Amino acid sequence: MTNNRLVQKKQIAVYARTLFDAAYAEQKLESVLNVRVRLQELCRALRSDSQIAQTIQDSALSDAQKMQLVASIFDSTPADTLLKDVLGVMAQRGELALCPAVQQAFEQLIVSELKLCVVSVTSAVALDDHLRELITNKVEADLCMRVVLDERVDRSLLGGIILSAQGKCIDASVKSRLEIYRDQLKRA
């Protein structure tokens, strides 16, 4: 079992490194961040619908059919072409289950190679330039590294923001505060 884990770990590292190096050679930071987003989307899709992964890895399909199925998931952007090629190989080898680990290794390469932290910022409304600059400066000072914001709007938050980076989350949303108050009132 140890050898299998070591082999898997090496395969994950190779997939992540291949994606990172090819993306960085393409358009530097922009391409790396695009691959990051698309890889996250794919991992979410595979988690939410296990039938996708099962279909792609079906042993009754030829390698060409597997590559065609993987290709149908993506558009024709450079990030998608790159992912299509790597994921096609993973599908042929029956290794799509490694996608979340490849995504995590890819994230670690962004931090270690680019000295960059991607911070997810979810807010009820789109950030303006001033708030974007304040958040960036604060997080850069706290983490002592360059930061890129990955912004998302979630109207269900009512107000406030949620920041997440490197496995840590700061929830300063109105919705979470209301839930805390509701729980306190229930206990009182």
Side-chain angles (χ1 to χ4, degrees):
M1 192 69 156
T2 304
N3 288 338
N4 287 341
R5 285 188 190 146
L6 289 175
V7 169
Q8 265 189 354
K9 193 172 183 178
K10 286 180 183 180
Q11 289 169 318
I12 291 163
V14 167
Y15 290 136
R17 173 56 71 179
T18 300
L19 283 169
F20 181 85
D21 289 346
Y24 193 74
E26 181 74 33
Q27 294 175 331
K28 306 285 184 214
L29 180 59
E30 182 183 342
S31 188
V32 169
L33 295 176
N34 287 337
V35 168
R36 176 189 174 272
V37 168
R38 295 298 281 165
L39 189 55
Q40 284 179 327
E41 291 169 355
L42 177 73
C43 287
R44 270 195 296 273
L46 291 173
R47 275 193 304 268
S48 67
D49 188 353
S50 61
Q51 191 171 3
I52 294 172
Q54 289 172 353
T55 302
I56 293 171
Q57 297 185 113
D58 186 349
S59 60
L61 297 177
S62 69
D63 287 348
Q65 289 171 316
K66 290 178 184 180
M67 291 293 279
Q68 192 173 20
L69 273 172
V70 169
S72 69
I73 296 172
F74 297 103
D75 300 324
S76 59
T77 66
D80 288 345
T81 302
L82 179 58
L83 275 170
K84 177 179 64 176
D85 294 343
V86 171
L87 293 169
V89 170
M90 292 174 72
Q92 288 173 349
R93 295 179 174 180
E95 297 174 339
L96 278 182
L98 299 179
C99 271
V102 171
Q103 177 194 357
Q104 187 175 14
F106 189 82
E107 298 275 351
Q108 290 169 348
L109 285 170
I110 292 172
V111 173
S112 65
E113 297 288 321
L114 301 178
K115 308 296 186 239
L116 177 77
C117 181
V118 179
V119 178
S120 295
V121 180
T122 306
S123 57
V125 295
L127 301 177
D128 62 24
D129 290 338
H130 177 69
L131 187 54
R132 188 177 293 113
E133 184 180 346
L134 283 173
I135 293 169
T136 300
N137 291 340
K138 172 68 172 135
V139 175
E140 283 180 345
D142 289 350
L143 297 177
C144 299
M145 69 175 19
R146 210 170 53 152
V147 166
V148 171
L149 301 182
D150 178 17
E151 301 175 31
R152 296 194 178 110
V153 174
D154 181 354
R155 304 238 183 261
S156 73
L157 291 182
L158 305 175
I161 62 173
I162 300 172
L163 298 172
S164 62
Q166 299 177 336
K168 296 178 183 156
C169 182
I170 299 171
D171 188 343
S173 66
V174 172
K175 184 177 178 180
S176 71
R177 286 190 220 145
L178 289 173
E179 288 173 5
I180 290 169
Y181 295 144
R182 185 184 65 216
D183 289 344
Q184 288 174 348
L185 286 172
K186 281 182 182 177
R187 283 186 254 134

